[in-house]
Amino acid sequence: MATKEAAERKNLMTEQIKKLGKGVQIADEQGDKKLVEGFMADAFKGKASFDEVFPWPERSLKSAKKAEELLKALDKFFREKVNPDLTDESRDIPFELFGDMADMGMFRLKIPEELGGLSLSQTDYGRVISYLTSYYGPMAILVSADNTIGCKFPVWKYGTKEQKDKYLPELMRWPSGFCFTERNVGSDPARMETYALRVKENGKTIGYCITGQKEYTTNAVLTDNVPLAKFLSVVVRIVDNPSEIQTEKDVKKFCFGLFIVPTSSKGVNVGERLDVGLRNEFFGMHGIYNANPLFENVWANPDQLIGGEGNGFRISLQALNTGRMAIASSCVSIAKQCFSGSQNYAEKRVQWGTPIIDKELIGTEKLARQGLCYIFAMDAMTNYASLRFDSGKDSRLEATSSKVFSSEKMWMIVDNNVQIHGGIGYETHKSSSRRRKVFPADRFFRDARPNRIFEGSTQILSQWLVGEGMKFLKPFAQMGTWKEKFLLLCELTVNRINFVRIPDVPRPLRKHLKFVRRKVRKFSNRVLFFAARDMVFLALQSLVDKEDKKKLAREMLTSRQLTLWRLFWIASYLSAMVVSCSRAVHFGADSAVEMADGFCSEARLCIDNLFREFYRNNDRKMRRIADGLKEDRYAWFIHSDILPLIDQLNLK
Ligand SMILES: Cc1cc2nc3c(=O)[nH]c(=O)nc-3n(C[C@H](O)[C@H](O)[C@H](O)COP(=O)(O)OP(=O)(O)OC[C@H]3O[C@@H](n4cnc5c(N)ncnc54)[C@H](O)[C@@H]3O)c2cc1C
C-alpha cells in the first residue's frame, strides 16, 4: 500500500517537472543521477560551506606553463595573420589559417598528452578561449564547438580504446561539429526527430540508419555545398521503427545515442539541396561555419556509437557542462575587453569641461558598479568552476551559474560600452575608422549576444540549476525510507544551528561572509517553503475533482518559474560573493580586496531585493496580463500606428 502511494506521489512529481518544460524533464530523467555537491549545493540545505571555496584551489603548474607558451604563439599568430575587422567584413575565417591553428594544437587542447593532445586543464583551456575571444570571438566559437561539444570530448571520455585509436588522430588535426539542435529541438529535446534505426540480423544489431535534419551546427559547412568538419557528433533517438518517434512520448523510454558520423558518408548532405547546404548567416559571429546538415539513411556501424545505446543525452550534458565553462570564459573576456575600451574612451572624451569618466553616471555607475566589480566576480566564478572541475569535484552547478551569470552581466557591460562611446559606439568599424581609430564596439556588441542563447539558454539553465539543487529533498517527495527522511531532517536542523567559522579574510570582506552565512539559511528556508507549497498543492490535487484540479494547477504554476528564477539569482549571488572573497585573498593585493568588497556590497543589495520580491511582487497581475496576450486583448494598442511586419511577412 505504502509503495503504491509512493509510486503515485512519484508520478505527481514527474507531472510537476513536466510543467517546468520538457527539456528540464529530460535532463532529470536521462541526465546524471548523482546529487550535486559544493558550496551552492550545500546552500540549498542551509549550510555555508566556506571550506569548499577557501583556500582558493590550486592549479596545475604543468598545464599553466603549456598554456603560457600557447598564448605567446597565439599572440604572434594574431598579430601576423589575423585581421579581425577584415574577417568580420568578409564573413570568412581564412581557410589557410586552419593549418596554422592545427599546428599550434588548437584542435587537441584538452586531449591527454599520451593520446597526442596538449593536456590542458579546463582552467587553462578557458584561458585560451578567453584569449581567442578577446581578439576575434568567432575563432573561439570554432575552437570550443570542436574541443568541448564536438567529437573529441565524447570519443576521448567515453570511447573504447578501438574508437580512440580509430578517430582521435584525425580529429586532432581538424575541427569537428556537434549536431543537437533541430527545427523543433532547441531547449526541448523531447521533440527530437532525428533517429537511428537499428538494423538487425538474426536478432543482433549490425548497424544503424540515421535519418533527420539538424540545425545550427557550427563547423558543419565551409562554403555552400562543401563540409568543413570531417566528423560530426550526432545526437539521435535510437528506434526499432521510425513510427516510434511519433508514437512514443514517454521520455523515460527514449533511447538516445551519440554517433560519430564522417561528413563524407553517403547520405550526409551539407550541399546539393540549397535549403540544406547553405551556411547560416548571423548578424554577428561572422566567420563561423554554421549550417543545417541533413542525414538521409546514413549508415553507421556499431563502432560509431559512443558510450553505448541510451547514453547519448547524458554524454551531451557532460560535454555541455564543460562547454558552459568555456562560454563563461568567453563572456569574461568580452567584458574585460569592452570595459577597457570604455575606460580608455571615458578618460579621453571631454564633455562639459571634464572627461566623462568624472561624471558619476559614467565613472561610478557604469564603470565601477556595473563594470569592474561584476567582472571581478564573473572571473572568480568562472575560474573557480574550472578549477573545481580540474580537481575532479562535481562542478555542475558552478559551471551553470558561471555561464548564466557571466553571459547576463557581460551583456550589460557590452551595452554600456556602446553607450559610453556615444554616437561613435553605434558606427561600424568601417565608417569610424575612415576618420579616426576607434574601439570596435559594434563587433563586440554583435558577437556577444548568442552567449545568452547557446549551450543552454539563461531561462532553461536557471530552472535546471534550482531543480538540481533541490533534488536532495527526494527522500521527502518520493520513495525515501523513514531512516532517510529522519537523517535529512537531522542534517537540515544541524545546518540551522551549527556555527560555521568565517575564514580568515581581510577586514572589509569579513562582514560580507557573515552576511552570506545568515542569508544561506534564509535561502534554504525559502527552498523548503517552496517545496512544501508544491507538496501541499499535490496533496490537495488528489482530493478535488477535475475542474478544481485545473484551477489548482493554475494556482500552482503562477509564480513557479519566477520563484525558481529568484532562487537561482540568490544562489548565484551568494556563491559569487564567496568565490570573489576567496579569489581576493588568493591574489593578496589591496586592489583585489577593493574589487571583491565593491562587488559584495552590490550583491547584498540585489540579494535583499530578491528576498523581498518573494512576498512583494506583482506576478499574479502580470500573469493575468500574459493570459490577456494570448486572447489578443492588447493587439489593438500594440498594432496602432505601426505597419505590423508579422502581417506583412505572413509570420502568423
Ligand atoms: C551562433 C550559434 C551557434 C550554434 N551552434 C550550435 C551547434 O554547434 N550545435 C547545436 O546543436 N546547436 C547550435 N546552436 C543552437 C543553439 O544551441 C540553440 O539556438 C539554443 O539551444 C536555443 O534553442 P532554440 O533556438 O530552439 O530556442 P528555443 O528553445 O525555441 O527557445 C526560445 C526562447 O524560449 C525560452 N524558453 C524555452 N523553453 C523555456 C522554458 N521551459 N521556460 C522558460 N523559457 C523557455 C528560451 O530561453 C529562449 O529564450 C547555435 C546557435 C547559435 C545562435
Side-chain angles (χ1 to χ4, degrees):
M1 186 65 193
T3 327
K4 198 176 158 218
E5 261 177 36
E8 272 171 14
R9 245 178 294 144
K10 191 173 177 183
N11 283 342
L12 281 169
M13 278 300 285
T14 314
E15 283 299 306
Q16 277 307 297
I17 301 170
K18 266 185 198 163
K19 285 169 186 157
L20 275 179
K22 276 269 177 65
V24 183
Q25 183 195 0
I26 292 212
D28 192 67
E29 298 291 354
Q30 306 249 356
D32 203 331
K33 298 266 188 275
K34 259 179 34 200
L35 285 185
V36 286
E37 291 166 5
F39 177 86
M40 274 187 122
D42 284 346
F44 279 86
K45 300 181 194 164
K47 184 177 172 196
S49 317
F50 294 124
D51 52 353
E52 288 278 354
V53 187
F54 287 87
W56 188 252
E58 296 284 333
R59 58 195 273 208
S60 151
L61 292 179
K62 195 174 163 205
S63 162
K65 199 167 159 236
K66 256 189 253 163
E68 287 300 335
E69 283 163 19
L70 188 56
L71 295 190
K72 264 191 219 146
L74 263 180
D75 195 77
K76 188 165 179 288
F77 168 71
F78 281 147
R79 284 174 204 278
E80 289 174 4
K81 304 209 169 163
V82 186
N83 182 330
D85 293 313
L86 274 186
T87 312
D88 181 53
E89 216 179 300
S90 69
R91 296 177 174 240
D92 274 323
I93 295 174
F95 188 66
E96 55 275 17
L97 297 186
F98 283 76
D100 293 323
M101 290 171 79
D103 290 343
M104 279 190 284
M106 284 297 147
F107 307 125
R108 55 193 166 101
L109 291 169
K110 293 202 296 176
I111 305 288
E113 253 171 12
E114 57 275 20
L115 295 175
L118 293 190
S119 221
L120 288 193
S121 64
Q122 180 66 32
T123 315
D124 289 309
Y125 170 69
R127 289 172 68 204
V128 174
I129 293 295
S130 164
Y131 208 76
L132 285 164
T133 310
S134 69
Y135 201 69
Y136 193 57
M139 273 183 143
I141 296 301
L142 186 157
V143 169
S144 85
D146 169 54
N147 278 276
T148 30
I149 53 174
C151 300
K152 257 146 250 188
F153 178 83
V155 174
W156 158 42
K157 283 283 182 189
Y158 298 95
T160 58
K161 181 170 179 326
E162 290 71 32
Q163 286 172 325
K164 284 180 197 159
D165 290 345
K166 181 171 173 189
Y167 295 115
L168 276 182
E170 240 190 302
L171 282 174
M172 288 192 292
R173 291 284 314 160
W174 204 249
S176 59
F178 172 65
C179 302
F180 188 89
T181 310
E182 295 176 14
R183 179 140 302 176
N184 293 317
V185 180
S187 310
D188 180 4
R191 302 177 73 187
M192 189 170 283
E193 287 179 356
T194 303
Y195 61 83
L197 184 67
R198 289 186 193 94
V199 179
K200 294 188 174 172
E201 219 175 69
N202 302 326
K204 196 173 165 241
T205 304
I206 55 159
Y208 302 84
C209 267
I210 300 175
T211 300
Q213 182 166 19
K214 294 292 181 178
E215 283 209 334
Y216 294 134
T217 306
T218 301
N219 296 343
V221 163
L222 182 63
T223 56
D224 297 347
N225 306 334
V226 182
L228 170 69
K230 290 186 180 155
F231 295 92
L232 299 171
S233 65
V234 188
V235 184
V236 297
R237 277 179 64 185
I238 300 177
V239 293
D240 282 320
N241 190 324
S243 64
E244 284 175 40
I245 296 296
Q246 302 308 330
T247 54
E248 183 56 77
K249 298 289 177 202
D250 183 357
V251 283
K252 272 186 269 177
K253 294 188 186 150
F254 282 12
C255 178
F256 284 103
L258 186 147
F259 286 87
I260 300 296
V261 178
T263 46
S264 56
S265 310
K266 188 162 175 270
V268 177
N269 199 331
V270 289
E272 292 165 35
R273 278 173 41 181
L274 280 184
D275 58 328
V276 178
L278 291 180
R279 238 172 91 184
N280 291 321
E281 290 282 342
F282 298 112
F283 68 72
M285 291 281 170
H286 292 164
I288 66 166
Y289 295 102
N290 188 291
N292 311 329
L294 178 75
F295 302 87
E296 288 174 308
N297 266 322
V298 177
W299 176 260
N301 288 321
D303 74 351
Q304 287 173 244
L305 175 66
I306 305 292
E309 288 193 7
N311 286 320
F313 191 74
R314 195 169 58 84
I315 297 174
S316 309
L317 284 188
Q318 296 281 350
L320 287 166
N321 187 48
T322 52
R324 277 169 203 145
M325 289 183 260
I327 299 287
S329 300
S330 267
C331 293
V332 176
S333 168
I334 296 170
K336 283 182 176 171
Q337 197 68 288
C338 288
F339 178 84
S340 76
S342 300
Q343 184 187 347
N344 179 51
Y345 188 76
E347 281 167 358
K348 288 200 303 212
R349 178 73 173 166
V350 177
Q351 288 288 283
W352 307 90
T354 53
I356 57 172
I357 196 168
D358 291 337
K359 322 289 178 195
E360 271 193 351
L361 287 180
I362 301 292
T364 311
E365 180 66 14
K366 297 219 177 296
L367 289 174
R369 190 201 305 278
Q370 297 178 352
L372 187 68
C373 292
Y374 271 105
I375 296 175
F376 188 77
M378 287 153 60
D379 196 40
M381 286 173 94
T382 306
N383 272 285
Y384 176 70
S386 302
L387 285 164
R388 217 183 136 75
F389 180 86
D390 288 336
S391 65
K393 291 184 180 164
D394 176 39
S395 63
R396 282 170 290 168
L397 296 193
E398 283 72 16
T400 304
S401 77
S402 66
K403 193 266 179 185
V404 175
F405 192 92
S406 300
S407 59
E408 290 298 316
K409 302 305 174 193
M410 168 276 291
W411 185 242
M412 169 173 75
I413 292 160
V414 169
D415 183 48
N416 282 345
N417 184 37
V418 174
Q419 189 70 13
I420 289 171
H421 277 84
I424 208 170
Y426 193 61
E427 273 188 79
T428 65
H429 162 80
K430 207 172 171 187
S431 159
S432 49
S433 63
R434 279 191 300 225
R435 290 177 287 120
R436 48 191 158 178
K437 274 192 177 164
V438 285
F439 185 86
D442 69 310
R443 177 157 57 79
F444 276 90
F445 190 82
R446 286 184 280 109
D447 290 351
R449 190 58 182 85
N451 287 295
R452 296 166 68 205
I453 299 172
F454 50 35
E455 301 201 20
S457 71
T458 295
Q459 287 73 18
I460 291 292
L461 290 183
S462 61
Q463 308 286 297
W464 176 86
L465 185 143
V466 182
E468 285 300 303
M470 285 174 63
K471 273 191 185 162
F472 76 92
L473 285 168
K474 267 195 170 168
F476 286 130
Q478 294 183 5
M479 283 180 281
T481 60
W482 283 109
K483 189 179 161 201
E484 279 173 332
K485 287 177 192 168
F486 176 72
L487 287 177
L488 184 54
L489 261 182
C490 291
E491 189 185 347
L492 293 176
T493 314
V494 169
N495 288 347
R496 272 150 187 78
I497 51 176
N498 196 12
F499 185 78
V500 182
R501 208 179 62 80
I502 300 290
D504 203 10
V505 292
R507 232 176 108 78
L509 304 182
R510 222 181 137 69
K511 59 180 183 296
H512 298 312
L513 294 183
K514 282 186 179 166
F515 173 91
V516 171
R517 187 172 58 187
R518 281 197 312 278
K519 297 297 167 171
V520 155
R521 284 175 197 160
K522 191 169 175 183
F523 168 72
S524 175
N525 291 343
R526 287 283 177 281
V527 168
L528 295 183
F529 179 77
F530 173 69
R533 193 192 77 154
D534 261 17
M535 281 181 219
V536 169
F537 272 122
L538 285 176
L540 284 178
Q541 262 202 334
S542 56
L543 297 177
V544 296
D545 64 26
K546 208 173 163 193
E547 250 333 283
D548 287 342
K549 240 182 213 164
K550 268 193 203 155
K551 269 194 223 153
L552 260 175
R554 246 188 79 78
E555 196 60 27
M556 190 154 89
L557 275 178
T558 302
S559 268
R560 202 166 197 286
Q561 280 207 335
L562 287 167
T563 304
L564 293 178
W565 176 250
R566 289 179 187 118
L567 289 173
F568 166 81
W569 280 106
I570 295 175
S572 294
Y573 271 117
L574 288 170
S575 160
M577 284 176 74
V578 181
V579 293
S580 299
C581 290
S582 179
R583 192 109 205 267
V585 174
H586 172 73
F587 281 136
D590 288 348
S591 51
V593 174
E594 282 159 26
M595 289 187 278
D597 182 27
F599 169 72
C600 288
S601 52
E602 184 61 21
R604 287 170 68 160
L605 295 177
C606 298
I607 290 170
D608 282 338
N609 257 336
L610 285 159
F611 274 124
R612 215 167 296 130
E613 277 181 23
F614 274 96
Y615 298 116
R616 303 191 54 167
N617 61 53
N618 54 11
D619 295 352
R620 241 161 251 277
K621 196 171 283 176
M622 290 303 154
R623 170 87 193 199
R624 274 201 297 278
I625 294 182
D627 287 345
L629 284 173
K630 287 188 283 180
E631 293 156 12
D632 260 358
R633 271 177 79 76
Y634 313 106
W636 63 269
F637 166 70
I638 286 297
H639 291 168
S640 62
D641 303 334
I642 63 167
L643 195 162
L645 281 180
I646 51 165
D647 293 337
Q648 215 199 357
L649 301 176
N650 246 339
L651 297 178
K652 271 193 167 170

